[in-house]
Amino acid sequence: MSIFYDEKNRLFRLDTSKTSYVIGIYQENYLLNFYYGKKISDMHFENFCKRNPSASFSLANPVIGENGFTPDTAPIEYGCNGAADFRISALAVRNYNGDNVTDIRYLSHRIFKGKKSIPQMPTTYANSDDEAETLEIDAIDSVTGALVTLSYTVFENHPVMTKSVKIKNTSDKTMFVERAFSGCYDFNSMDFDMLTLWGRHDKERNLCRRPLAHGVQGIESKRGVSGHSQNPFVAFAKAGATEDYGEVYAFNLVYSGNFSALAECDHNCSTRFIMGINPSDFEWTLAPNEEFYTPEVVSVYTPDGIGEMSRIFHRFYNNNLVRGKYKTEKRPLLINSWEAAYFDFDKEKLVAFAHEAKKLGVEMLVMDDGWFGKRNDDTNSLGDWFVNEEKLIGGLKPLIDGVNAEGLKFGIWYEPEMISPDSELFRAHPDWHVHVDNRTPMLGRHQYVLDVSREDVRENIWNQMYKVLSENKIDYVKWDFNRNISDAGSALLPPERKKEFFHRFILGTYDLMNRLVTTFPDILFEGCSGGGGRFDPAMLSFSPQIWTSDNTDPIQRLYIQFGTSMCYPASTQGAHVSACERTGYETKGNVAMWGTFGYELDPIKLKEEDKEIIKQQIADYHKYYWLIRKGDLYRIISPFDDSYYAAWQIVAEDKQSFLFTFVCMRRCSHRTCFIKFKGLDPNKMYKCSLDGESYSGEFLMNVGMNFTEMANRDGKSFTVYFE
């Protein structure tokens, strides 16, 4: 068993392979969070409910009395609004009278094998019931009738726990959920650094590390999507923790919409952390017997440093988040037409691309934006998902046949959640875009957002996409989303439900995606949002890889890929070689080899010497494919810590081999470069591709190797393979 209940002391202990999480039922049925950390076997938590109560006039439950317990400082398991807990609230429910005081108390619980899905939302999953165990705790607000089910799943083979919440209206009157976070966590310390991933278009997921301070701090998105600006990931690393040492707690929200992640450090130097749907511009109406579900949050704890935290996420997501055929099957190496042709292409040009790409060893051609409606630039036709036969005479079939005849698979680009004002769809249905009455909506990239919260809108888009995908041999779909959501409103929502729009929009996107991946299980889907603007675990549930960034400059990509790897595995990171002139093709290939690997260039324009380099890269891609896909990533030198060098290492699951990559971002003439490797078997001997010598794992991890002479030029890079 992974979940234990001590009936005498009313304590729950949730064990993963390496961690424990303890919940207590205190007097008056308060639910308290006693412990989260390294795995333990006993539970002596009698005094853990009490913290220094001398806050600013902290209040006491009149039944319990002023005995050192107050909701204002106690480690409340799921903090609620207005009932003497004055910290940030995970839950606030307004009843029919307009009161929003919320106070939930333990009612009952269930423990069972396996893991449930969440209606309408993507989640992580157990491959079998024996792989996970779940605890559901029912807690009731006796005044409003809000029945809150706190759901926890722990996994047998991963130090991972998930949390989610269901709220049911058991009263005979309507209530309104004003905020409903997915997880609430309590720590007896604030001695942590907060790690987050900030960015913008072309500069996604930069690492920010800052110490926690008294007060409220955190990140959020109000953009309608998870966004370029902040990723729904937060880690708390003990002060002084490094890649290899120190305690780390980390949290990732399985959600693609507006989110909030907040930490509050109080006068006791205790920390509350909450993560979930952003309560700004959110409210949900619950009629009697209706239910509301939050997305789930994935949490990881490790005492072994930031690097191990990342590897736990990577292993877990590869095994328990990514789904479908391409979870296990090798994915085709593709070339995308965008940076080679933009909107300027026809059948002959694309087949010529395919002809040259095949000579290099490429396996699939992807036709990007510009194939539909009257699309020759970005000012029109989004929503018109029928073939532009002025550009592609005879439709897609002659093009696909031509590409297939060259020996390549064929892929296509969509942006289903968008609509152009200059489109047949907009002229037929001007109320189908996201807007509010009496306001002229903002334009982004000459487009509006399509209101996919509406079933009739989704049905129209589904029918258009189904026709194209079912009538043609298409092996890959790139799903893009190229603007944020403003002027948020739906023509079908009544006034009292207007603030449900953002969440309904995301549920509509999930519904459309789920229909596609279910109907077309053999298609490889790749997510995209102006590059990495919607890189989150919910999207990975539908598309096993996401285009990491529109920025293909290999030096800038180092920052983007290192930051992304804090939480997301290499197998999910779309990474391509482009024709940018920052470095040679060797370094472009070495950096792109980190991820799914592919090309964004015109193969016809390549020089002969570059073609030979690319042929070797493709051979290496096949040689190292499973090592990179399934191996453990070790960040050796991070560009966030070093302005000259970046280096990483991928170690096979069985530690039989590893691949080391080094990039000189900027030459430092007065610096030596000794590398100590990580994650090896100290007793194995590893043969080095560089000099043919064999070294013990013990030697490579403790003594290392000298690469000073090889790290001597801006943009230079190299790889070394050991087996």
Side-chain angles (χ1 to χ4, degrees):
M1 289 180 62
S2 300
I3 299 177
F4 306 85
Y5 179 57
D6 178 347
E7 188 170 2
K8 177 182 177 182
N9 296 301
R10 302 211 298 175
L11 293 171
F12 300 95
R13 192 179 82 235
L14 293 77
D15 289 344
T16 73
S17 57
K18 296 181 180 179
T19 67
S20 294
Y21 186 92
V22 179
I23 305 166
I25 307 169
Y26 187 57
Q27 298 176 46
E28 293 300 293
N29 288 331
Y30 283 101
L31 285 166
L32 305 182
N33 178 195
F34 286 147
Y35 176 76
Y36 185 22
K38 197 168 184 177
K39 193 168 186 176
I40 56 173
S41 58
D42 54 351
M43 297 189 289
H44 298 286
F45 290 97
E46 293 82 0
N47 296 316
F48 274 65
C49 60
K50 299 176 183 178
R51 290 174 175 162
N52 184 351
S54 57
S56 296
F57 308 112
S58 292
L59 307 175
N61 181 296
V63 177
I64 299 174
E66 299 190 28
N67 68 343
F69 173 87
T70 170
D72 192 17
T73 62
I76 303 293
E77 174 62 23
Y78 193 64
C80 298
N81 181 70
D85 182 348
F86 299 104
R87 294 162 292 177
I88 49 176
S89 304
L91 180 67
V93 178
R94 189 176 78 252
N95 67 19
Y96 71 97
N97 287 331
D99 301 325
N100 69 350
V101 175
T102 309
D103 188 2
I104 61 172
R105 310 291 180 89
Y106 170 82
L107 183 65
S108 62
H109 72 272
R110 297 164 296 284
I111 299 171
F112 54 89
K113 289 284 188 181
K115 182 180 187 292
K116 293 180 180 179
S117 59
I118 300 175
Q120 298 181 280
M121 275 187 283
T123 64
T124 60
Y125 59 88
N127 292 283
S128 69
D129 284 350
D130 291 334
E131 192 179 30
E133 195 162 16
T134 297
L135 166 67
E136 291 182 343
I137 298 177
D138 290 334
I140 188 82
D141 185 318
S142 60
V143 174
T144 66
L147 177 64
V148 178
T149 301
L150 306 176
S151 180
Y152 310 78
T153 297
V154 289
F155 289 81
E156 184 71 25
N157 299 319
H158 302 277
V160 171
M161 176 175 66
T162 66
K163 286 187 180 184
S164 63
V165 178
K166 179 181 75 173
I167 303 157
K168 182 176 182 179
N169 183 355
T170 64
S171 76
D172 59 359
K173 294 182 173 62
T174 296
M175 63 178 60
F176 306 89
V177 180
E178 295 185 326
R179 57 196 291 134
F181 280 74
S182 300
C184 182
Y185 303 83
D186 191 275
F187 302 96
N188 288 318
S189 167
M190 58 178 281
D191 185 26
F192 294 105
D193 291 336
M194 176 185 279
L195 280 64
T196 58
L197 300 172
W198 67 274
R200 51 154 291 172
H201 177 245
D202 277 352
K203 190 177 170 61
E204 293 90 339
R205 287 172 297 286
N206 300 272
L207 181 62
C208 176
R209 180 170 182 167
R210 59 193 185 274
L212 288 179
H214 286 284
V216 178
Q217 55 246 270
I219 58 171
E220 65 177 17
S221 171
K222 293 174 60 179
R223 297 172 177 271
V225 290
S226 45
H228 293 86
S229 297
Q230 297 288 348
N231 192 265
F233 162 83
V234 172
F236 295 141
K238 273 289 188 181
T242 68
E243 277 285 304
D244 305 305
Y245 306 100
E247 287 190 297
V248 185
Y249 298 85
F251 311 89
N252 197 203
L253 187 66
V254 187
Y255 191 60
S256 308
N258 292 345
F259 73 90
S260 182
L262 302 173
E264 181 174 6
C265 302
D266 65 13
H267 73 287
N268 282 327
C269 298
S270 300
T271 303
R272 170 177 287 176
F273 175 69
I274 58 176
M275 187 178 231
I277 295 172
N278 193 332
S280 298
D281 302 315
F282 170 82
E283 185 175 271
W284 200 267
T285 302
L286 278 183
N289 293 316
E290 287 186 342
E291 299 172 336
F292 178 80
Y293 293 83
T294 73
E296 83 177 1
V297 60
V298 178
S299 66
V300 163
Y301 165 80
T302 178
D304 298 322
I306 298 165
E308 182 61 16
M309 173 270 293
S310 297
R311 289 185 289 276
I312 292 167
F313 273 115
H314 299 172
R315 298 174 195 129
F316 180 65
Y317 283 170
N318 277 330
N319 192 61
N320 298 88
L321 175 65
V322 171
R323 303 169 189 266
K325 172 180 177 178
Y326 288 103
K327 173 182 176 178
T328 55
E329 285 198 17
K330 191 175 182 181
R331 301 172 200 170
L333 188 157
L334 67 87
I335 187 167
N336 186 291
S337 70
W338 180 246
E339 291 192 27
Y342 297 100
F343 298 100
D344 181 21
F345 59 82
D346 55 20
K347 174 200 163 187
E348 287 68 28
K349 180 179 282 191
L350 292 180
V351 171
F353 283 174
H355 179 77
E356 291 300 320
K358 178 62 177 178
K359 294 178 184 178
L360 302 173
V362 172
E363 298 169 312
M364 180 163 66
L365 174 74
V366 175
M367 176 179 61
D368 210 278
D369 193 353
W371 61 269
F372 52 91
K374 297 180 179 179
R375 185 85 158 177
N376 289 305
D377 55 39
D378 64 3
T379 64
N380 62 77
S381 297
L382 289 171
D384 297 343
W385 301 110
F386 51 85
V387 180
N388 180 348
E389 295 208 24
E390 293 181 5
K391 181 181 293 187
L392 299 173
I393 297 170
L396 290 180
K397 189 177 187 306
L399 168 61
I400 297 173
D401 287 347
V403 171
N404 291 164
E406 296 292 342
L408 272 68
K409 296 177 182 292
F410 182 81
I412 198 170
W413 179 95
Y414 274 100
E415 195 171 4
E417 299 150 283
M418 297 293 163
I419 185 169
S420 301
D422 181 8
S423 66
E424 291 186 17
L425 187 65
F426 186 85
R427 285 184 283 273
H429 299 284
D431 64 327
W432 277 14
H433 70 295
V434 175
H435 68 284
V436 295
D437 293 339
N438 303 315
R439 293 188 184 275
T440 302
M442 298 291 178
L443 272 175
R445 201 174 180 246
H446 309 287
Q447 63 197 57
Y448 296 141
V449 181
L450 196 59
D451 185 4
V452 297
S453 73
R454 295 174 52 158
E455 186 175 359
D456 55 348
V457 173
R458 296 198 302 275
E459 194 65 24
N460 178 284
I461 298 301
W462 162 256
N463 288 334
Q464 291 192 67
M465 296 181 73
Y466 179 82
K467 180 176 175 59
V468 173
L469 296 176
S470 63
E471 293 180 357
N472 296 282
K473 191 175 185 300
I474 293 172
D475 302 290
Y476 164 103
V477 168
K478 181 179 179 182
W479 181 302
D480 215 339
F481 186 96
N482 280 316
R483 62 157 286 175
N484 296 314
I485 301 177
S486 66
D487 310 286
S490 172
L492 295 190
L493 289 176
E496 67 273 16
R497 289 185 177 269
K498 292 292 187 185
K499 295 182 79 172
E500 296 179 10
F501 168 77
F502 276 115
H503 186 57
R504 288 186 179 275
F505 179 91
I506 291 299
L507 294 181
T509 295
Y510 293 156
D511 176 63
L512 191 53
M513 285 185 160
N514 187 59
R515 289 179 75 178
L516 282 164
V517 300
T518 302
T519 306
F520 301 102
D522 292 329
I523 290 179
L524 171 60
F525 287 87
E526 178 162 344
C528 182
S529 176
R534 198 159 64 177
F535 205 121
D536 59 63
M539 286 292 112
L540 290 175
S541 180
F542 301 107
S543 57
Q545 58 194 53
I546 298 174
W547 183 228
T548 314
S549 177
D550 284 344
N551 188 341
T552 55
D553 177 291
I555 303 303
Q556 291 298 317
R557 266 290 182 132
L558 291 170
Y559 296 89
I560 294 166
Q561 292 174 192
F562 266 80
T564 304
S565 75
M566 293 300 294
C567 188
Y568 305 105
S571 65
T572 68
Q573 295 188 42
H576 292 173
V577 174
S578 76
C580 76
E581 297 180 357
R582 180 73 170 269
T583 71
Y585 277 96
E586 296 92 342
T587 294
K588 294 174 189 177
N590 289 338
V591 173
M593 197 70 71
W594 172 310
T596 60
F597 199 71
Y599 291 88
E600 299 262 342
L601 47 77
D602 185 344
I604 299 172
K605 295 180 180 179
L606 287 169
K607 299 175 182 178
E608 287 303 318
E609 57 266 33
D610 293 332
K611 289 181 180 180
E612 294 306 311
I613 294 171
I614 288 173
K615 288 177 182 178
Q616 183 58 53
Q617 288 174 351
I618 291 175
D620 289 342
Y621 161 81
H622 291 295
K623 178 179 179 179
Y624 303 133
Y625 181 86
W626 292 111
L627 169 61
I628 294 170
R629 173 80 174 273
K630 293 184 174 183
D632 285 331
L633 174 69
Y634 291 83
R635 296 179 290 259
I636 305 297
I637 305 174
S638 170
F640 295 112
D641 300 328
D642 193 302
S643 59
Y644 298 100
Y645 303 147
W648 63 96
Q649 175 192 354
I650 299 178
V651 181
E653 290 178 292
D654 59 6
K655 299 187 183 298
Q656 288 289 105
S657 62
F658 69 95
L659 182 68
F660 171 70
T661 305
F662 182 97
V663 180
C664 177
M665 299 183 292
R666 184 161 62 92
R667 180 173 179 266
C668 181
S669 59
H670 304 295
R671 181 172 170 181
T672 56
C673 183
F674 289 86
I675 297 293
K676 292 182 180 180
F677 300 102
K678 301 178 182 181
L680 308 180
D681 184 332
N683 299 313
K684 291 186 187 297
M685 299 297 292
Y686 294 89
K687 185 176 181 180
C688 174
S689 66
L690 195 63
D691 58 14
E693 295 293 328
S694 293
Y695 304 85
S696 70
E698 178 185 55
F699 181 92
L700 291 171
M701 289 191 292
N702 293 289
V703 180
M705 296 185 72
N706 183 358
F707 294 110
T708 302
E709 292 185 0
M710 300 179 68
N712 59 5
R713 182 162 54 84
D714 292 3
K716 182 178 175 61
S717 70
F718 59 87
T719 62
V720 187
Y721 178 62
F722 296 79
E723 64 179 346

